[in-house]
Amino acid sequence: MSFRIDQLPKKKYVVPGNAACAGCGMMIGLKILGMALGEEAVLTIPASCASVVQGLSPKSGVAMPILNVPFASAAAVATGIAEAYRSLGIKGHAVVWAGDGGTSDIGFATLSGAAERNSNIIYIMYDNEAYMNTGIQRSSSTPLAAWTTTTPMGKRERKKDVALLMAMHGVPYVATASIAYPHDFYRKLKRAAEVQGFKFIHLHTPCPPGWRFDPAKTVEVARLAVETGVWILWEYDHGHFRLNPPSTVYADRAKRRPLVEYLKLQGRFAHVTEEQVKALEEDVEARWRSILALAKAFPQS
Amino acid sequence: MKALATQKTALTGNYAVAYAVKMAKPHVIAAYPITPQTSIVEKLSEFVERGELNARFVNVESEFAAMSVVYGAAMAGARAFTATSSHGLLYMYEATWWTALSRAPVVMTVVTRTIGPPWNIHVEHNDILVLRDTGWLIAMAETVQEVLDLTIQAFRIAETAVLPTAVGLDGFVLSHSTEPVELPPQELVDKFLPPRRPDVPLLLRPGEAVTFGNLSSDNRDHARHKIATVYTAQREAKKIVSQVDEEYGRLTGRRYGGLVEWYKAGDAKNVVVCMGAWCSDAKQAVESLRRRGISIGLMRVRFLRPFPEEEVAKLDQYERVIVYDRDITPLGGVLGTEIKAHLSRAEVVNIVAGIAGVDFDAQNFYETIQKALDGSYGEVEFVV
């Protein structure tokens, strides 16, 4: 699928006056979601940054239908919307737009339940790698060694790989994406919209205040995550598992940029020792080993 | 309409719920199994599988998800139903507040059961009463026939009042006991229960940019929303409950008195107040006591929410009011506490009995009413 971004729909779904922080990665993602699914999507948003940055009711900074719901309930509420539409004969996509805490921690049971019964929803986890809405507390999606207010010495555990867990549910479609690669995210959203059943997209969305970097560098940080191999772009489509460009190139460790380039831009890794960098490099390598093994184990396409 | 053939049959309370829900033609049902509710959703899933009920049946991983699914469905314009008991209701508690404050007209059956520890599957009313401050309407049935009728009424009430509605039936006492019942003809239920309006409380549709539930620009707006939802809407629902019961009575010949049912209370000096299945036992005791020349009647609370204030105020004209609770709070029972708060003249005795499923029959009512009238009980009396 080839297209030019300047030829995408011009309608703005993320409008001026919303309450997002400067350089918010999540809002870039939301903008691409609007381009891909705008007139077809009904959003369910659990407690998260996304429930705040819409702006204050009765106004809204996001021009899409949105139902804000309790933290753990999003996948189930979206299931209800999807089932209602099916019963009433209404066309549209029930989309969950949820953070990493709402997805990988408190909402994991409803997420896994919706996946297992193959509910016809598109679940997007925007991953800023901590509870940013409450002020930077660790989630199970926070990376190893990262500082948060509840891991003041750096997180001791590795990041939970939610996308892999979802693929292992055997659902029709799972993908990872990054706001630095809008073409790739857009294409994956369009693919998700074609597929019947449960779809999950794990979107990497850097957070300037939470990760402690200059708000002008959001896209650069997101891109470095992919170029250093920290974030791997792949998709699992009806049993086919494949790497997506540009990550395809970084299967070769020698092609990746040094991890420190990614770390040094972010205040949350400012304290890391050489030993911790080694541990992080080993963690990145371990992830690549499992992804490549899966790509080999499952048919490519 | 009464000329239409009604079907006489025998059903358990749980199957009566299932048949009533089937006749209400919901679009979406979501539920999780829990004793003693389970046979409701088993029967409903059977109806759906056999094609007798054209609804989407969603098997969920928890009661929290069940309430969340029916919430989403109702906000998208569907008629939605779930059922639960005890711990299941506690587990969905957060979502029940969200449902009420969103004005999602969900109908839920609560087969009342004891909350642990220790584990206990028998009847108690504390579970359904956790809904009392949420904005949900709360009804309790006395017989299997009323379970059926009240469930059909609940859809009409919920969708007219735009408030979620819970129908309680006593665990095992009603849920698993078989009684003869009359099933109203489908045509009659169709006439009584028009299709749900999908635009109330809002139209959640692709391409329509509405948001619900985000932060308010003014906390006063939020406060007004909450007062309107929890307080004003409850008051307005009182009239709706009575009207719906009357209309149902005209169509089926069965009306129950609206918010409360008065039983031989007109000429009585003293009155018993209770709710749920054991009201039948209490009525039997009232009969026996009256035969012995004791001046006593009964008020059965059908709806605890909306609270029947006007009817409760009438209790002040009796010498003694004896309130029975199958639930416990640090102040006594819920019904006893709420009724006392509304009365100034009558002497109120609150008897907490039958909790944890302890048997409490007509003879127990007979004896305890006598003691309450003798003045041998304090303000709150526990009977085990």
Side-chain angles (χ1 to χ4, degrees):
Chain A
M1 190 202 229
S2 170
F3 58 88
R4 280 169 47 187
I5 281 192
D6 63 359
Q7 287 170 347
L8 289 178
K10 293 282 181 289
K11 181 166 172 184
K12 286 192 169 70
Y13 290 94
V14 175
V15 299
N18 66 67
C21 304
C24 175
M26 183 266 286
M27 290 306 258
I28 297 172
L30 205 50
K31 189 174 147 185
I32 300 165
L33 174 81
M35 287 173 167
L37 306 177
E39 297 301 305
E40 299 159 15
V42 174
L43 266 54
T44 299
I45 297 184
S48 58
C49 289
S51 47
V52 174
V53 301
Q54 299 161 44
L56 302 174
S57 83
K59 293 173 184 169
S60 174
V62 179
M64 283 184 269
I66 300 174
L67 191 60
N68 290 279
V69 302
F71 215 173
S73 71
V77 175
T79 298
I81 294 171
E83 296 292 352
Y85 285 174
R86 174 148 173 188
S87 181
L88 297 165
I90 291 158
K91 281 187 77 173
H93 300 292
V95 177
V96 174
W97 185 264
D100 47 296
T103 303
S104 61
D105 298 338
I106 192 170
F108 197 72
T110 45
L111 172 68
S112 177
E116 185 272 335
R117 63 175 176 261
N118 201 24
S119 290
N120 188 29
I121 64 173
I122 302 173
Y123 193 111
I124 298 155
M125 165 186 174
Y126 71 86
D127 188 2
N128 52 26
E129 301 189 330
Y131 288 80
M132 298 313 186
N133 189 32
T134 39
I136 325 170
Q137 295 81 29
R138 88 97 52 216
S139 79
S140 58
S141 195
T142 300
L144 186 69
W147 165 91
T148 70
T149 57
T150 50
T151 53
M153 304 294 281
K155 194 190 179 200
R156 293 195 175 88
E157 304 79 20
R158 72 199 295 265
K159 179 182 174 79
K160 187 195 269 187
D161 200 331
V162 184
L164 270 189
L165 287 166
M166 296 324 290
M168 293 307 107
H169 280 66
V171 295
Y173 188 76
V174 178
T176 61
S178 161
I179 54 107
Y181 298 91
H183 283 80
D184 180 66
F185 181 39
Y186 179 90
R187 180 183 66 76
K188 286 168 174 170
L189 285 165
K190 284 293 198 193
R191 175 65 190 141
E194 285 170 7
V195 171
Q196 264 296 315
F198 186 87
K199 288 83 63 175
F200 183 85
I201 300 177
H202 190 162
L203 177 69
H204 199 230
T205 60
C207 167
W211 298 11
R212 306 274 142 124
F213 63 80
D214 177 352
K217 293 189 186 297
T218 306
V219 175
E220 192 182 329
V221 170
R223 194 183 300 124
L224 270 169
V226 174
E227 290 173 347
T228 55
V230 167
W231 190 248
I232 308 170
L233 299 174
W234 55 265
E235 70 189 324
Y236 171 87
D237 192 340
H238 293 87
H240 298 281
F241 193 105
R242 59 178 164 260
L243 280 171
N244 303 124
S247 285
T248 326
V249 176
Y250 304 123
D252 178 357
R253 193 175 180 173
K255 300 264 169 61
R256 290 178 219 154
R257 293 174 72 162
L259 182 64
V260 287
E261 288 188 25
Y262 176 64
L263 303 181
K264 75 181 180 199
L265 275 180
Q266 304 171 52
R268 65 175 174 160
F269 292 113
H271 61 283
V272 295
T273 59
E274 257 179 55
E275 212 174 57
Q276 280 176 311
V277 173
K278 281 219 174 71
L280 273 164
E281 280 169 344
E282 181 40 44
D283 185 49
V284 170
E285 199 43 37
R287 274 170 206 280
W288 272 98
R289 275 197 300 272
S290 25
I291 295 292
L292 292 173
L294 283 168
K296 209 177 264 180
F298 286 91
Q300 287 280 303
S301 56
Chain B
M1 289 303 284
K2 270 237 69 185
L4 288 164
T6 52
Q7 193 191 338
K8 284 193 182 150
T9 183
L11 293 173
T12 62
N14 277 359
Y15 279 8
V17 173
Y19 276 91
V21 170
K22 182 184 166 205
M23 284 188 282
K25 297 179 179 168
H27 303 98
V28 178
I29 300 166
Y32 190 78
I34 181 169
T35 304
Q37 167 270 117
T38 315
S39 53
I40 296 175
V41 294
E42 283 174 345
K43 194 74 190 162
L44 282 168
S45 61
E46 224 176 276
F47 287 147
V48 173
E49 285 287 311
R50 283 200 204 130
E52 292 174 37
L53 169 58
N54 183 21
R56 302 288 304 164
F57 189 96
V58 188
N59 281 296
V60 285
E61 74 287 353
S62 74
E63 288 90 348
F64 176 75
M67 182 50 64
S68 302
V69 167
V70 293
Y71 168 64
M75 291 306 278
R79 180 168 289 162
F81 174 81
T82 188
T84 193
S85 287
S86 186
H87 289 261
L89 178 53
L90 302 194
Y91 197 43
M92 58 169 68
Y93 195 47
E94 182 194 16
T96 65
W97 281 80
W98 208 265
T99 313
L101 293 171
S102 304
R103 308 291 297 266
V106 167
V107 171
M108 169 164 70
T109 299
V110 180
V111 185
T112 59
R113 168 187 152 181
T114 302
I115 296 164
W119 287 116
N120 184 328
I121 56 170
H122 297 110
V123 63
E124 199 179 89
H125 292 165
N126 267 111
D127 57 353
I128 194 168
L129 294 171
V130 302
L131 292 172
R132 72 186 179 132
D133 302 329
T134 58
W136 277 67
L137 304 180
I138 304 170
M140 285 291 294
E142 182 185 345
T143 62
V144 172
Q145 180 70 61
E146 192 182 17
V147 166
L148 186 128
D149 295 329
L150 196 50
T151 304
I152 296 169
Q153 289 187 3
F155 284 96
R156 175 77 182 276
I157 292 166
E159 290 167 22
T160 312
V162 202
L163 283 176
T165 302
V167 175
L169 64 148
D170 289 65
F172 295 103
V173 180
L174 289 182
S175 67
H176 288 65
S177 303
T178 304
E179 282 178 27
V181 288
E182 262 188 32
L183 289 172
Q186 182 67 54
E187 300 90 318
L188 190 144
V189 177
D190 290 342
K191 185 179 175 222
F192 173 74
L193 189 61
R196 184 171 161 215
R197 283 185 59 183
D199 57 337
V200 176
L202 58 84
L203 199 64
L204 193 64
R205 291 286 179 270
E208 307 266 344
V210 294
T211 60
F212 180 81
N214 55 326
L215 291 164
S216 283
S217 52
D218 183 349
N219 288 341
R220 283 184 188 83
D221 286 344
H222 183 144
R224 284 185 201 106
H225 167 77
K226 202 159 267 173
I227 292 163
T229 299
V230 176
Y231 190 78
T232 317
Q234 286 272 332
R235 286 173 172 254
E236 285 163 2
K238 286 193 222 172
K239 203 187 277 176
I240 293 165
V241 168
S242 304
Q243 284 167 350
V244 167
D245 187 42
E246 255 173 51
E247 187 181 330
Y248 191 82
R250 274 200 302 279
L251 291 171
T252 63
R254 287 186 299 278
R255 98 177 36 158
Y256 294 90
L259 294 166
V260 305
E261 179 203 356
W262 293 99
Y263 181 80
K264 307 209 165 169
D267 62 341
K269 274 195 209 146
N270 305 288
V271 68
V272 170
V273 181
C274 49
M275 63 180 187
W278 68 355
C279 292
S280 295
D281 300 294
K283 285 173 181 173
Q284 220 180 306
V286 164
E287 289 283 358
S288 308
L289 289 161
R290 286 179 77 95
R291 277 201 296 275
R292 305 249 336 246
I294 295 166
S295 181
I296 186 126
L298 181 142
M299 184 182 94
R300 177 168 74 91
V301 175
R302 285 187 79 226
F303 280 81
L304 187 76
R305 294 288 183 274
F307 189 72
E309 280 161 303
E310 287 83 357
E311 288 82 353
V312 168
K314 288 181 190 153
L315 295 172
D316 248 339
Q317 70 200 28
Y318 295 90
E319 274 173 31
R320 276 208 176 79
V321 177
I322 309 158
V323 186
Y324 282 86
D325 265 291
R326 201 155 203 161
D327 52 80
I328 181 163
T329 82
L331 301 176
V334 170
L335 206 52
T337 313
E338 296 208 345
I339 283 170
K340 268 183 215 170
H342 278 78
L343 301 183
S344 52
R345 295 211 298 278
E347 191 184 313
V348 182
V349 177
N350 185 194
I351 298 172
V352 175
I355 54 174
V358 169
D359 276 343
F360 197 84
D361 59 16
Q363 183 61 29
N364 299 122
F365 271 107
Y366 183 87
E367 286 161 14
T368 51
I369 291 170
Q370 273 190 323
K371 283 190 185 167
L373 293 177
D374 288 351
S376 40
Y377 280 163
E379 260 194 66
V380 178
E381 198 64 36
F382 298 96
V383 181
V384 178

